[in-house]
Amino acid sequence: MFARCIRRFLLPSPQSLSSRPGIAAVSTTADSSISPVLLRRARSIAEEHTKLANQNAENYDVATAKKIGELSTVTAALAEWDNAQNSIKELNSLLLDPTSDSEIRSLASEDVEATSATVPRLISLLKRSLIPPHPFASLPCLLEIHPGAGGSEASLFAAELLHMYTTFCANKGWKTELVKYEADESAPGSEEGLTDAVLEVTQPGSYNMLKGEAGVHRVQRVPATEKKGRTHTSAVSVLVLPSLPAPGSAGIEDTALNFEDPNSDYYINSGEVRAETMRARGAGGQHVNKTDSAVRLTHVPTGITVAMQESRSQHKNREKAWQILRAKLAQKRREERENELIDLRRKIMGGVSMTGREDKVRTYNYSQQRVTDHRCGSETGSLPDVLEGGQALERIMRDVGEWMQEQEVAVLAAEEEVKASDLKSQKGGRT
Amino acid sequence: MPRLPPFLLRLANREFHLLPALLRECRDLPSSRNELRWLTEHAIEQAEKLRTTDLASSPSRTGDCKNVLTPSLPSKTIPGWRNLLRDYVKRREKGEPLQYILGTQPFGELEILCRPGVLIPRCETEVYTSKIGLLARTLLVEQGGKNREQELGSYERPLRVLDLCTGTGCIPLGLYGMLRNPKVKSDEKVEAKGGGKLKLEVLGVDISTTALNLAKENLRHNISLGYLPEQAADEMVFLHADVLLPSHPAPRPAAPYLIDVIEAVLAKGIGKPEIDVLTANPPYISPIHFSSGRTTRSVRRYEPRLALVPSSCPPQSSTSTGLGWSTLTSSPSPGDEFYHHILPLAKHLNARLTVLEVADTEQAERVAELAGRVFVKEGKVVGESTHPEVLIEIWFDDGGTKVWLPSDGVGLGSLESNEVSARAVVVWTQWWATSRRQQL
Ligand SMILES: C[S@@+](CC[C@H](N)C(=O)[O-])C[C@H]1O[C@@H](n2cnc3c(N)ncnc32)[C@H](O)[C@@H]1O
């Protein structure tokens, strides 16, 4: 308690700071440092924040207030870090000051330790606050699961992954709906595999939690049908798509996610979507009674198609098909934006991209009862718990999430470096 | 969408040996698979209902995800679903319509109860019904508010919809739902522009009391499901009446003549006895097409002939009613009879929008031609220049629209866009015609 008090008592006033360069009795360690480019970025955001706040004090504007809100996380994180840095400097100067008495010294050195201990956390907070929010972070999501190489083994494992995610969501109390399910017909009646499934997770923000699941999941095991006991490797690909709000839903009109707005990144011109129903062709009306309710949508410019036939209601099939089409297009456009940076990312991230739908992300090894995530190196020996969507899976997901954030920060720093050197060469060119 | 628990899909998939039986009616594997899944779903539901009514004290089966990998569960806890399913499939194999087995058919956002004795709503009808709903909304909300106020003057007449030959009531129920529960744009716009909340008066007419009872039940059913607001019970009426002229002598159930019933009802309402939207899906299959291969076995055997084939005697050329029948030819093609009665009625009631379902492109052609003669004085062309207040269109199964002009009308090929059939003849009049023309 006393230490806290003396620290407050000794807290530097802003003016007293500037004129004490080079005094650093306690230096921060390498992993708790922040690169100068990132710090510069944080400072310019904080400046912008102050400017806007002053502006709004005089002349209030909702849009500006919103912007201020967006910048405030960085500003607050930076202020906390600055505070800590300043305290450390101040305390260190006390320690170096020959006139300080021994009691003050011991208190100050205690405080230096306590404050320094908070620095890595503050740094990490500051870095994370700099990551621009993902546009889909707050959305619910759709998980699409397809077997890849490996025949019926792959389709079986696809069904197991579907089960894994379904129970994972149930464990978290998240509602899910199986929007689409196509059974593997190549081995009907035996064990059930699937060739295509879409699971809707209606929980807002589930996109953010599950986005790291996108990619190729590999299974290594001896299939039940394998006579010679050989281990097979099969692959299943998982796509994580944002579930965009339905047209006309409250609150989306002014957001970037309003795909009915031609200025939005996610705008879909309905004129470019071809809708086909199997039943529109041939004889119809009173003469026949068709029960076919299948709908297929094709987005002509990209060639993306979505077919739905689960419901007896064509109306509902159409709605679902639109939802999936919107999700696929939004994801695609988002990826296109990111593509500009992908080379840079690949360099930084050791060959694995953030979105990486072609990349092998995880292996489920049965003989060793082990699950390994190849991105963050996270590993667990509780394969059954993972496949039941339990704690072990959540732990892996969290590790992946951490890893993704680190990558984001690295990318951010790299981008800033590039910007800085561009600026320099521009200046150099001019003089 | 009903939740599709994975165990159900697995179950349906396991009953694959039943697929060949369904193939007879469905004709392709994907539809058979879908029907099998829907039948399985229904069998489990029914079995559970039977069980819970039998043993009132049984514990409820939860939709818990833990059950996902235990497909054997339902078979243990719900006795008999497999037997039910087998029975359903057998019935379906004999040609019984899926909807009579399941008891329902989705129609837009509604669930329509289906029972033997009443025609099952067709998907083609569903498609153009939602098109009518959208267009009517657009006219009323985006363009029509002002016009409508002027037109209605000081009193407030409700928007009136009349559906003839209503059967299950699917068309008026669907339209009511679309006009009353607008999903997309907010209701405020209607209120702001239309001067007060839109009032609706939606009427359905049928000669069959079986159909009328089912239509009324469908109204209640959809209100209880929350698909229609309570208000619908006050704003919708189903009437027993005969659409054909009293002088039309064919054998059919006795019912009061439509024009008398309608005028009595409209006279009680506010404003002129007029109709805004008139729809009809009347019996339109000619006896030849009924017995030829064009009408499927299932339809012929299981659905009421009264709903499909107009009674065979031609109407007598009559001038007695003063509705303008005298201008019509006295011997219409078999199958066209109802249009010869409905179109003059539409004109008489000043319908702004008339939509009549037809069998195919050829019938569309004849009915459009007839509409031209009824709505436009003889000798004049239904072109843009001479009759801006009447616009005739033909709608197709794929959602396509074609403006009908008598000059194009000679060659059928001009209307036939590959395999897609014409499905409705549409007549716009007065300012609705003008607005629609601007839209096109
Ligand atoms: C083809 S069904 C249409 C049912 C419903 N509108 C639909 O689209 O599903 C034709 C309906 O017309 C009715 N109907 C037959 N003759 C009639 C008549 N003379 N007057 C009124 N309704 C008649 C039948 O009872 C039947 O319900």
Side-chain angles (χ1 to χ4, degrees):
Chain A
M1 279 317 283
F2 185 48
R4 293 255 166 264
C5 296
I6 197 162
R7 189 169 128 208
R8 192 165 305 141
F9 163 62
L10 291 170
L11 258 182
S13 62
Q15 298 92 313
S16 65
L17 274 172
S18 46
S19 54
R20 295 188 190 191
I23 305 168
V26 179
S27 69
T28 46
T29 57
D31 60 325
S32 61
S33 69
I34 181 165
S35 74
V37 279
L38 287 186
L39 198 54
R40 217 177 305 142
R41 185 178 173 126
R43 295 230 180 276
S44 77
I45 288 175
E47 270 166 34
E48 175 79 7
H49 182 268
T50 316
K51 202 184 90 194
L52 292 177
N54 290 340
Q55 199 177 307
N56 242 23
E58 277 170 27
N59 209 336
Y60 188 83
D61 173 58
V62 182
T64 313
K66 207 175 148 213
K67 182 93 188 136
I68 292 174
E70 285 164 15
L71 303 179
S72 63
T73 332
V74 176
T75 312
L78 180 65
E80 273 202 59
W81 180 77
D82 273 343
N83 263 345
Q85 290 303 98
N86 293 341
S87 320
I88 290 170
K89 273 185 203 158
E90 192 72 8
L91 291 164
N92 276 334
S93 74
L94 268 180
L95 289 174
L96 294 178
D97 187 344
T99 62
S100 304
D101 70 30
S102 70
E103 194 185 351
I104 294 243
R105 256 167 217 274
S106 91
L107 285 174
S109 89
E110 249 174 59
D111 254 16
V112 166
E113 255 167 60
T115 311
S116 304
T118 67
V119 166
R121 192 180 59 85
L122 295 178
I123 291 259
S124 143
L125 281 179
L126 177 56
K127 282 178 181 170
R128 271 162 210 207
S129 74
L130 283 170
I131 301 173
H134 195 288
F136 307 150
S138 62
L139 294 180
C141 69
L142 298 161
L143 290 176
E144 191 171 333
I145 302 174
H146 287 286
S152 62
E153 243 304 272
S155 65
L156 251 184
F157 189 61
E160 285 163 71
L161 284 186
L162 174 64
H163 170 73
M164 175 177 92
Y165 290 124
T166 311
T167 48
F168 174 78
C169 293
N171 290 341
K172 292 195 80 65
W174 294 355
K175 286 213 180 72
T176 56
E177 186 185 343
L178 191 55
V179 171
K180 185 171 184 173
Y181 183 98
E182 268 163 38
D184 183 3
E185 295 278 325
S186 60
S190 69
E191 289 229 67
E192 305 85 352
L194 63 83
T195 55
D196 188 5
V198 176
L199 184 73
E200 180 179 4
V201 185
T202 50
Q203 176 75 21
S206 55
Y207 179 86
N208 205 37
M209 177 96 192
L210 294 171
K211 68 176 191 291
E213 294 303 293
V216 173
H217 296 238
R218 222 166 49 148
V219 62
Q220 293 180 318
R221 65 181 171 193
V222 183
T225 50
E226 165 67 52
K227 307 250 154 46
K228 293 181 185 137
R230 283 174 304 201
T231 298
H232 288 216
T233 300
S234 328
V236 171
S237 83
V238 174
L239 248 67
V240 183
L241 307 171
S243 179
L244 275 76
S249 23
I252 65 158
E253 290 202 349
D254 301 321
T255 72
L257 296 175
N258 186 4
F259 47 83
E260 285 191 319
D261 172 6
N263 298 319
S264 158
D265 233 14
Y266 306 105
Y267 173 65
I268 302 175
N269 178 353
S270 57
E272 293 178 342
V273 177
R274 195 175 64 222
E276 289 162 285
T277 55
M278 297 306 131
R279 62 194 196 182
R281 318 229 132 235
Q286 292 167 13
H287 305 84
V288 291
N289 168 19
K290 300 177 191 171
T291 62
D292 191 345
S293 54
V295 174
R296 186 169 60 212
L297 300 180
T298 307
H299 184 247
V300 179
T302 56
I304 292 179
T305 67
V306 177
M308 281 304 298
Q309 54 175 21
E310 313 299 312
S311 171
R312 286 176 65 212
S313 157
Q314 184 173 67
H315 175 78
K316 283 180 182 148
N317 283 337
R318 188 185 304 274
E319 262 181 8
K320 279 293 166 197
W322 264 102
Q323 188 190 4
I324 297 175
L325 183 67
R326 279 196 299 270
K328 290 200 166 187
L329 282 169
Q331 181 75 12
K332 185 176 155 56
R333 287 182 191 163
R334 172 74 190 157
E335 281 171 20
E336 277 165 7
R337 293 258 144 170
E338 287 173 354
N339 257 354
E340 299 151 19
L341 298 165
I342 223 126
D343 283 344
L344 188 60
R345 292 187 172 203
R346 286 218 179 248
K347 254 181 256 151
I348 299 162
M349 299 180 200
V352 182
S353 81
M354 301 289 299
T355 44
R357 45 166 96 179
E358 325 77 25
D359 296 298
K360 178 183 77 184
V361 295
R362 198 176 291 157
T363 297
Y364 304 73
N365 184 312
Y366 274 64
S367 67
Q368 297 169 6
Q369 292 285 296
R370 195 157 44 91
V371 180
T372 312
D373 196 280
H374 305 293
R375 295 161 293 186
C376 55
S378 180
E379 205 169 68
T380 169
S382 8
L383 173 78
D385 189 45
V386 170
L387 292 176
E388 282 303 313
Q391 295 288 317
L393 177 63
E394 183 154 4
R395 269 196 301 277
I396 296 185
M397 285 186 182
R398 290 207 188 284
D399 289 347
V400 172
E402 295 271 317
W403 175 85
M404 284 176 120
Q405 287 199 324
E406 279 163 29
Q407 303 311 306
E408 287 272 14
V409 173
V411 168
L412 214 58
E415 278 171 30
E416 291 294 318
E417 299 277 8
V418 171
K419 266 192 227 160
S421 72
D422 280 358
L423 215 64
K424 236 182 239 164
S425 64
Q426 262 178 26
K427 274 184 189 157
R430 239 181 267 141
T431 49
Chain B
M1 183 179 296
R3 262 174 59 85
L4 295 170
F7 80 81
L8 214 141
L9 297 158
R10 285 156 198 269
L11 283 181
N13 202 35
R14 281 198 179 167
E15 302 297 323
F16 69 101
H17 57 274
L18 295 171
L19 281 174
L22 292 175
L23 215 49
R24 257 190 93 175
E25 273 303 315
C26 302
R27 301 226 284 291
D28 64 49
L29 205 55
S31 338
S32 312
R33 226 177 275 130
N34 283 333
E35 286 203 5
L36 181 57
R37 198 178 60 239
W38 299 327
L39 288 169
T40 308
E41 205 167 51
H42 188 65
I44 291 177
E45 243 175 58
Q46 287 308 106
E48 186 168 3
K49 235 186 237 164
L50 290 176
R51 191 177 60 94
T52 47
T53 46
D54 279 2
L55 324 154
S57 65
S58 66
S60 71
R61 191 174 59 89
T62 59
D64 197 314
C65 283
K66 298 249 157 56
N67 293 338
V68 164
L69 281 186
T70 50
S72 57
L73 179 94
S75 62
K76 275 183 198 147
T77 53
I78 309 165
W81 73 267
R82 266 173 220 277
N83 290 337
L84 282 179
L85 177 63
R86 223 165 292 135
D87 170 58
Y88 294 162
V89 171
K90 223 176 269 161
R91 284 161 65 186
R92 186 75 183 112
E93 187 179 17
K94 287 201 192 116
E96 186 170 341
L98 180 76
Q99 298 90 337
Y100 286 160
I101 300 172
L102 300 178
T104 57
Q105 169 64 32
F107 192 87
E109 294 184 26
L110 306 182
E111 181 178 277
I112 299 295
L113 301 170
C114 297
R115 244 168 254 152
V118 185
L119 189 103
I120 295 158
R122 300 293 196 260
C123 50
E124 292 84 0
T125 310
E126 181 187 357
V127 169
Y128 71 76
T129 300
S130 60
K131 184 163 167 169
I132 300 170
L134 281 177
L135 288 172
R137 279 203 62 76
T138 317
L139 278 178
L140 291 172
V141 180
E142 267 133 49
Q143 305 164 16
K146 246 172 135 191
N147 291 349
R148 192 169 164 73
E149 258 173 73
Q150 284 169 4
E151 179 190 51
L152 298 180
S154 52
Y155 59 85
E156 243 186 53
R157 174 164 80 59
L159 181 84
R160 282 207 190 102
V161 179
L162 171 63
D163 178 52
L164 305 179
C165 304
T166 201
T168 54
C170 58
I171 300 174
L173 289 163
L175 286 177
Y176 183 92
M178 290 191 71
L179 292 169
R180 185 52 83 209
N181 303 335
K183 250 219 168 136
V184 195
K185 306 284 186 243
S186 67
D187 229 351
E188 288 141 41
K189 276 195 195 161
V190 190
E191 288 182 33
K193 286 197 179 174
K197 196 163 173 70
L198 182 69
K199 284 196 185 127
L200 290 173
E201 192 171 300
V202 179
L203 315 168
V205 171
D206 207 286
I207 199 171
S208 149
T209 47
T210 318
L212 280 175
N213 286 336
L214 188 60
K216 289 175 193 162
E217 203 176 325
N218 268 318
L219 172 59
R220 286 194 299 271
H221 181 65
N222 281 283
I223 291 175
S224 74
L225 289 175
Y227 295 163
L228 291 177
E230 298 277 350
Q231 208 181 344
D234 304 326
E235 293 185 316
M236 291 193 73
V237 186
F238 289 101
L239 304 166
H240 187 217
D242 188 345
V243 167
L244 299 180
L245 277 175
S247 54
H248 186 74
R252 61 182 182 276
Y257 177 49
L258 172 67
I259 195 76
D260 302 331
V261 175
I262 284 293
E263 298 213 311
V265 168
L266 298 186
K268 271 190 258 158
I270 322 158
K272 280 184 267 177
E274 293 185 329
I275 289 291
D276 294 284
V277 180
L278 189 145
T279 54
N281 176 14
Y284 56 59
I285 303 181
S286 66
I288 305 144
H289 282 151
F290 186 71
S291 39
S292 79
R294 255 193 87 179
T295 307
T296 61
R297 187 185 61 143
S298 166
V299 173
R300 263 184 287 131
R301 288 203 192 156
Y302 287 88
E303 294 190 271
R305 193 186 162 111
L306 175 69
L308 301 161
V309 187
S311 30
S312 50
C313 301
Q316 288 162 1
S317 175
S318 160
T319 51
S320 58
T321 58
L323 293 186
W325 275 273
S326 56
T327 60
L328 309 178
T329 53
S330 52
S331 55
S333 298
D336 292 3
E337 283 170 30
F338 277 80
Y339 308 107
H340 287 260
H341 296 254
I342 295 171
L343 280 165
L345 184 77
K347 173 138 203 256
H348 176 73
L349 293 172
N350 254 324
R352 276 78 169 149
L353 169 60
T354 305
V355 182
L356 306 179
E357 181 171 324
V358 292
D360 51 31
T361 310
E362 288 169 40
Q363 192 171 48
E365 184 78 14
R366 293 195 300 271
V367 174
E369 164 97 40
L370 180 65
R373 275 188 282 133
V374 170
F375 278 88
V376 183
K377 277 194 203 98
E378 205 107 39
K380 283 198 180 172
V381 191
V382 203
E384 198 164 334
S385 48
T386 47
H387 281 279
E389 76 282 12
V390 176
L391 176 67
I392 298 176
E393 286 173 23
I394 292 178
W395 289 355
F396 292 79
D397 276 342
D398 62 353
T401 296
K402 199 174 153 117
V403 174
W404 186 82
L405 294 168
S407 49
D408 296 359
V410 200
L412 292 170
S414 62
L415 288 175
E416 199 94 45
S417 53
N418 58 50
E419 277 183 80
V420 178
S421 165
R423 189 53 61 209
V425 171
V426 180
V427 185
W428 302 84
T429 69
Q430 304 159 61
W431 68 265
W432 286 42
T434 320
S435 297
R436 173 63 173 167
R437 218 185 279 279
Q438 283 162 6
Q439 230 178 45
L440 286 170

